[in-house]
Amino acid sequence: SELENTGLKPICATVPGEAQLDLIKVGLLPEDIYKGENILETQKFETYDWWYETEFVPTEPKDNEKVVLKFGAVDCFAEYYLNGELIGYTENMLVEHEFYVGNHLKQGKNTLTVHITSPVAVEYEKEWSTHWLCHIVEERRENNRSAAPLQTR
């Protein structure tokens, strides 16, 4: 898959689950993150994107049966790929999502990839976008102050 070519070190994940628990299992976070100041160790992962990938062989659908992939409570901004094709995007948690995938399935092995974007990174990006937009508006206001005032009739 494309993820293999990134050079990122994969870790096994439990799904459904939580990234912090998987990081604890492989020793990247302290075993008791609520002891002392251990919780601060989780901060370095707050802006990480997470990629989950699995392979599966689907059963043959019955006549006129729609094939659906269902996801429950994916937190929070996610893109879903089946065999490298984007099949959906979600922006909320605690809501079940389903995607019709019959035309994306192939016989034999299929690869499902879920890319979860950090909500912290998304908000940070929004803040910067808003900051620059406000800066541009303020700059235009400053430049227009020296212009002649509008005249009315």
Side-chain angles (χ1 to χ4, degrees):
S1 81
E2 292 179 35
L3 288 177
E4 293 171 348
N5 299 326
T6 64
L8 297 172
K9 180 184 173 195
I11 62 172
C12 289
T14 301
V15 176
E18 188 176 321
Q20 287 87 352
L21 297 176
D22 295 324
L23 294 170
I24 290 169
K25 284 180 193 172
V26 297
L28 293 173
L29 283 175
E31 201 165 302
D32 185 355
I33 59 172
Y34 299 108
K35 182 178 181 182
E37 294 186 357
N38 286 350
I39 194 71
L40 300 176
E41 292 292 316
T42 65
Q43 289 178 342
K44 62 185 165 193
F45 298 104
E46 287 180 352
T47 58
Y48 279 38
D49 282 8
W50 301 97
W51 293 85
Y52 291 83
E53 188 169 272
T54 191
E55 295 176 337
F56 66 97
V57 176
T59 57
E60 221 22 70
K62 297 177 180 127
D63 290 338
N64 298 322
E65 182 180 40
K66 291 186 178 183
V67 180
V68 177
L69 284 176
K70 290 185 178 185
F71 299 87
V74 175
D75 184 15
C76 173
F77 301 95
E79 298 169 333
Y80 305 82
Y81 297 88
L82 184 57
N83 299 318
E85 288 185 59
L86 181 68
I87 59 169
Y89 177 80
T90 58
E91 291 187 350
N92 48 13
M93 186 183 168
L94 305 176
V95 176
E96 186 176 89
H97 300 283
E98 58 182 47
F99 305 102
Y100 294 98
V101 295
N103 56 335
H104 297 283
L105 285 174
K106 57 185 184 180
Q107 289 185 345
K109 186 172 65 173
N110 287 263
T111 303
L112 175 65
T113 306
V114 179
H115 172 216
I116 300 174
T117 303
S118 162
V120 173
V122 169
E123 285 305 311
Y124 183 75
E125 189 175 299
K126 285 181 185 176
E127 283 180 29
W128 270 103
S129 296
T130 303
H131 167 78
W132 284 108
L133 178 62
C134 291
H135 179 72
I136 290 168
V137 169
E138 282 299 316
E139 187 175 290
R140 286 186 181 154
R141 284 186 187 146
E142 287 295 320
N143 291 339
N144 287 337
R145 285 190 181 135
S146 59
L150 292 175
Q151 297 190 2
T152 57
R153 291 183 192 222

